[in-house]
Amino acid sequence: RSTLATTPPPPPTVRATADQPVLYSASLDGTIRAWDAVHMSCLQVLEETRSEVSVVHHSPLIDFLLTGHDDGTIRAWNVDTGSTISLRGHSNTVLCLGVAAKQKEGIMLLSSGFDGQVGVWDLTKHRHSAVPRLDCLFKASEEEVLVMLLNPFAKQYITAGNDALISLWSLTTHEPQATMKGHTDPVTALALDGNFLFSGSDSGTVRLWDLHSRAPLSAFTLAAHAGPVCGLLLVPESGWLVSCGGTDHSIHVWDYGTGRKLHSWTHAETFRCLAYLRTTRTLVAGTDEHNLVSLRIRDVADAVRRSQEEAEEAVREAERAARKAAAVAATAADAEVGKGAGARAV
């Protein structure tokens, strides 16, 4: 079954060049746009006419752009010339792409989507062919896979989707490692912070998992949004969790250690995807209304710092008031003692 009537707009992806960071976005209008990540001015437009773009991805391990499509095709784009190489293996919409280094040498592409399969592609340039080769294609779920996340430090990757399960896979053998149960609705977003995995669901909840024990942390469940969670990410400078809700038009910043919501943005348009520009400390969200919305996470950092300074000053003021009150009380007590001694002398 599919809970999606149409393919959602693909999330933006960031590519760093020698001169400047570049943000890539793709839309159901068939365009892939490159943006100056500092000024958010459009640098380039690539056009896809054969099938709707469902995901766009770039990795520092490769020198080309990857897109997944509604017809199951994957394309590798030369962004300088606009030429493409098409990869075929999936039978339905490709919604997830990830690039990782192989254990010994070479580079692999992982793909998944609505056919519930994971494809493993060899991106290493061979002597006789520069066309990526499909090494294997296997069934990862009986239902649609909506999200995939690489965890290269643990040599694993993670898939989740409409079956409400989170599956861990070996990055070297592609064998299943574990299946984690806890959500009752489709899992729509994943984010990783070391050994902790965050998962967002169609119900608007965010859960936290320990990947060592492969179990949920039962004390942590955020009722983050009034609708589906369409994006999760960690801000590397602060460790804050950012969640993006679509139909509730909101993006929240969380201190997940305390469960405290630090900041919220709301917008008239419906959010669909989320990315983070580290060079400018800016969040970028795509909307159903064909726009990119830029939000400054550094403003949140400044506000949190001011709030902490005000709280610390309030504590210091309370301590000063307490010391003053204690001094007044001690003076009054000494005066009473002096009066008593004078009366006895008389």
Side-chain angles (χ1 to χ4, degrees):
R1 68 184 173 87
S2 175
T3 60
L4 300 174
T6 59
T7 303
T13 187
V14 181
R15 175 193 182 198
T17 68
D19 300 321
Q20 60 185 346
V22 176
L23 174 74
Y24 284 96
S25 65
S27 170
L28 299 185
D29 65 5
T31 63
I32 302 157
R33 297 176 184 266
W35 306 84
D36 181 328
V38 176
H39 304 291
M40 290 306 294
S41 56
C42 187
L43 303 173
Q44 182 186 18
V45 179
L46 302 171
E47 294 189 3
E48 165 60 43
T49 59
R50 289 162 287 186
S51 180
E52 288 182 354
V53 181
S54 50
V55 60
V56 60
H57 181 76
H58 183 269
S59 166
L61 296 175
I62 56 178
D63 56 4
F64 49 88
L65 193 68
L66 293 164
T67 55
H69 297 264
D70 194 52
D71 64 358
T73 303
I74 300 167
R75 296 197 217 291
W77 294 75
N78 181 321
V79 296
D80 295 324
T81 65
S83 62
T84 64
I85 296 173
S86 295
L87 314 180
R88 295 178 176 87
H90 289 281
S91 59
N92 206 334
T93 301
V94 175
L95 205 57
C96 315
L97 295 171
V99 176
K102 291 186 175 183
Q103 187 175 16
K104 293 182 179 179
E105 60 179 12
I107 301 169
M108 76 175 83
L109 165 66
L110 299 171
S111 59
S112 193
F114 284 0
D115 62 4
Q117 299 190 99
V118 169
V120 183
W121 307 79
D122 184 358
L123 296 186
T124 309
K125 293 182 179 179
H126 297 282
R127 177 185 301 178
H128 302 295
S129 175
V131 177
R133 182 185 68 239
L134 179 61
D135 284 343
C136 68
L137 185 69
F138 64 91
K139 196 71 171 176
S141 173
E142 294 302 318
E143 301 194 44
E144 293 92 336
V145 174
L146 303 180
V147 284
M148 179 172 63
L149 184 66
L150 270 63
N151 185 11
F153 295 108
K155 298 180 180 178
Q156 68 183 187
Y157 56 98
I158 305 158
T159 60
N162 275 345
D163 59 7
L165 303 175
I166 299 173
S167 300
L168 308 182
W169 306 87
S170 167
L171 195 56
T172 54
T173 66
H174 308 289
E175 293 292 325
Q177 294 179 332
T179 298
M180 303 191 299
K181 302 177 181 180
H183 285 287
T184 57
D185 295 281
V187 178
T188 53
L190 296 171
L192 194 63
D193 188 13
N195 192 52
F196 294 122
L197 175 70
F198 296 88
S199 58
S201 80
D202 208 44
S203 65
T205 59
V206 174
R207 304 199 68 171
L208 178 60
W209 308 78
D210 183 341
L211 290 181
H212 272 319
S213 63
R214 296 171 179 174
L217 299 181
S218 57
F220 183 97
T221 300
L222 291 177
H225 294 277
V229 178
C230 59
L232 288 173
L233 59 81
L234 273 295
V235 179
E237 294 85 1
S238 60
W240 295 337
L241 175 69
V242 181
S243 64
C244 181
T247 55
D248 69 357
H249 306 267
S250 67
I251 293 176
H252 303 314
V253 181
W254 306 86
D255 178 351
Y256 77 82
T258 63
R260 184 165 66 99
K261 187 189 299 183
L262 301 175
H263 190 78
S264 292
W265 290 279
T266 57
H267 199 271
E269 299 182 6
T270 302
F271 293 123
R272 292 304 305 232
C273 50
L274 186 67
Y276 180 62
L277 298 173
R278 192 166 185 176
T279 52
T280 58
R281 300 187 67 188
T282 303
L283 296 168
V284 178
T287 75
D288 272 353
E289 291 76 14
H290 329 299
N291 294 315
L292 294 177
V293 179
S294 179
L295 306 165
R296 287 159 51 105
I297 197 75
R298 56 185 174 181
D299 291 346
V300 181
D302 293 341
V304 169
R305 184 172 60 252
R306 286 194 300 270
S307 177
Q308 290 174 339
E309 290 172 352
E310 291 170 359
E312 291 169 358
E313 179 58 31
V315 169
R316 288 192 292 269
E317 181 61 30
E319 291 173 347
R320 286 194 292 268
R323 288 194 296 269
K324 184 176 180 180
V328 170
T331 301
D334 290 343
E336 288 297 324
V337 171
K339 287 180 182 179
R344 286 193 296 274
V346 171

